[in-house]
Amino acid sequence: MSNHFSFQPIAQSSGTKARAGVFHTPHGIVETPRFMPVGTLANVKTITPAQLRDTGAQMVLSNTYHLHLQPGEDIVAGAGGLHKFMGWNGPMLTDSGGFQVFSLSDMRKITEEGVTFRSPHDGQIINLTPEKSIEIQNNLGADVIMAFDECPPATANRQEVEAATERTYRWLERCITAHKREDQALFGIVQGGVHLDLRSQAVAALTQLDLPGYAIGGVSVGEEPELIHAIVHATAPLLPYNKPRYLMGVGTYKEIAMAIASGIDLFDCVIPTRWARHGTAMVQGERWNLKNAKFRDDFQPLDASCPCYTCQNFSRAYISHLVRSQEILAYTLLSIHNITELIRFTQKIRQSIINDSFAEDFASWLT
């Protein structure tokens, strides 16, 4: 790990693999375990960077694929990089675009060189290679950048998953060669589908490259939750203890708690803001549809114990009214609360790990 980055585990939970740590980046620290909000297009949907900071967010994500299409990495670089462009001065991560490209299954072609696809914006043919993904991310300037990987769908057979896992490794080697900035940490991604032996082999190969951090990818692409837990439980402890471990695309209470128990440090998911745009609040791990009639005259806050701006100032009845009226403020207030909710959940888990009471305090989420 370069002088710009370090990771120190500071506490270990008895009876589980959960650990609390501190990840140092050029734009500040991340206290792990931690949920990271997603700002796909250099914006966490419907909220400002100041509101985002108030949720307790420390590190946020943006997306290589989407920013390449609009506005283009040259525009972002011209603004002084992603941090200045979007007004966020904390740690930031960009994913490689691999997941988005592979979700365009009817519009793309995979070869050893990379992926060719047709832009959904204007129909232009775009070639995204490991080298191009790294070049874009170097221009965007996030603290952590992700290797370009092949993410097989949950329906892929073993032979297809094996080929994708091997190609992911070869692409990673090319990403390492292409990477030009010491102030950006390049993380590798463990693929392998639901095949635990392939996951184990991938970890063994990737960790030989001694990267600053590692991610588990290719989960939450259609598998049953039990399979996700099995993959993470088997794979996370194999990753280096002194490097951050990132589980991509996971964002429910149970998934987060069980992944932390397996030794994961970082999470991201679009759930808090996506649910907000559907009028849904996350409260103590439950999903509340604010369109329900019972909320029309309920003048309590969403959660009286929540310190967020929404809960401190507005009632369920008011938010229900905004949702029913399709007022944009509804989505802002719900996004603020939902993000705060998940970050508070990971903060509470962190404190319980430091107190060595995690297994007891969060037992209801670990079964």
Side-chain angles (χ1 to χ4, degrees):
M1 203 176 295
S2 81
N3 294 334
H4 296 279
F5 298 90
S6 66
F7 177 76
Q8 292 96 28
I10 62 167
Q12 175 72 53
S13 159
S14 300
T16 77
K17 303 287 187 184
R19 75 259 189 91
V22 181
F23 181 34
H24 293 264
T25 81
H27 285 88
I29 65 167
V30 185
E31 296 168 326
T32 64
R34 199 77 171 196
F35 176 77
M36 303 182 292
V38 177
T40 303
L41 280 160
N43 156 244
V44 177
K45 290 196 188 317
T46 74
I47 68 175
T48 68
Q51 291 168 327
L52 183 59
R53 180 65 74 185
D54 286 345
T55 67
Q58 290 181 333
M59 190 170 195
V60 301
L61 273 71
S62 283
N63 180 264
T64 296
Y65 162 80
H66 290 289
L67 290 174
H68 176 59
L69 295 181
Q70 171 63 37
E73 62 276 12
D74 292 343
I75 299 288
V76 177
L82 202 47
H83 294 86
K84 287 187 177 177
F85 187 60
M86 69 178 280
W88 174 258
N89 61 5
M92 192 177 295
L93 180 152
T94 44
D95 75 18
S96 69
F99 179 79
Q100 285 70 31
V101 169
F102 293 109
S103 67
L104 300 170
S105 55
D106 56 341
M107 300 169 65
R108 50 93 174 139
K109 179 184 179 184
I110 307 170
T111 66
E112 186 63 28
E113 180 59 22
V115 183
T116 303
F117 63 98
R118 193 175 293 279
S119 167
H121 285 259
D122 58 12
Q124 178 185 349
I125 298 295
I126 296 175
N127 295 307
L128 194 56
T129 64
E131 292 80 9
K132 185 64 177 177
S133 173
I134 296 299
E135 179 190 337
I136 296 167
Q137 293 185 82
N138 283 169
N139 278 323
L140 294 174
D143 300 272
V144 174
I145 66 175
M146 302 303 299
F148 191 59
D149 62 325
E150 181 175 348
C151 181
T155 53
N157 61 40
R158 183 186 168 93
Q159 187 176 6
E160 292 166 334
V161 173
E162 199 161 355
T165 305
E166 291 171 357
R167 180 175 281 142
T168 291
Y169 178 80
R170 294 192 296 272
W171 283 357
L172 173 58
E173 292 182 308
R174 289 165 57 187
C175 287
I176 293 170
T177 301
H179 183 34
K180 303 300 182 192
R181 291 181 58 164
E182 285 195 358
D183 62 342
Q184 292 181 296
L186 173 63
F187 281 22
I189 302 175
V190 179
Q191 291 290 351
V194 298
H195 309 284
L196 299 186
D197 59 324
L198 295 182
R199 293 276 179 180
S200 175
Q201 291 167 27
V203 170
L206 266 58
T207 52
Q208 289 295 311
L209 299 172
D210 194 27
L211 296 166
Y214 297 90
I216 298 176
V219 299
S220 294
V221 292
E223 315 91 340
E224 293 298 316
E226 292 73 21
L227 265 178
I228 296 174
H229 301 325
I231 292 164
V232 176
H233 182 73
T235 307
L238 303 177
L239 294 167
Y241 187 76
N242 64 339
K243 305 284 181 72
R245 303 163 175 168
Y246 163 33
L247 180 60
M248 306 177 79
V250 160
T252 66
Y253 266 46
K254 187 176 181 67
E255 285 176 333
I256 287 175
M258 294 191 73
I260 290 172
S262 298
I264 292 291
D265 306 301
L266 297 168
F267 307 82
D268 79 283
C269 193
V270 298
I271 279 177
T273 49
R274 179 172 289 168
W275 284 5
R277 296 194 303 281
H278 287 88
T280 299
M282 306 175 79
V283 182
Q284 308 285 337
E286 297 179 355
R287 294 177 65 172
W288 291 4
N289 181 354
L290 271 296
K291 294 175 186 171
N292 286 349
K294 66 181 180 179
F295 294 117
R296 294 186 78 143
D297 58 355
D298 186 340
F299 302 108
Q300 303 174 79
L302 287 173
D303 181 349
S305 71
C306 179
C308 81
Y309 172 75
T310 303
C311 290
Q312 292 300 308
N313 291 281
F314 304 100
S315 67
R316 299 169 186 177
Y318 179 65
I319 300 169
S320 177
H321 153 66
L322 293 177
V323 169
R324 292 164 178 275
S325 306
Q326 297 184 311
E327 285 289 338
I328 293 170
L329 182 58
Y331 315 136
T332 297
L333 295 180
L334 286 170
S335 292
I336 288 170
H337 169 74
N338 289 351
I339 293 170
T340 303
E341 174 88 3
L342 275 186
I343 290 173
R344 284 180 73 220
F345 183 64
T346 54
Q347 285 177 302
K348 289 175 186 172
I349 289 180
R350 186 176 196 273
Q351 191 58 51
S352 76
I353 295 169
I354 292 169
N355 298 341
D356 202 13
S357 58
F358 169 59
E360 296 77 29
D361 294 351
F362 290 85
S364 62
W365 298 106
L366 298 175
T367 53

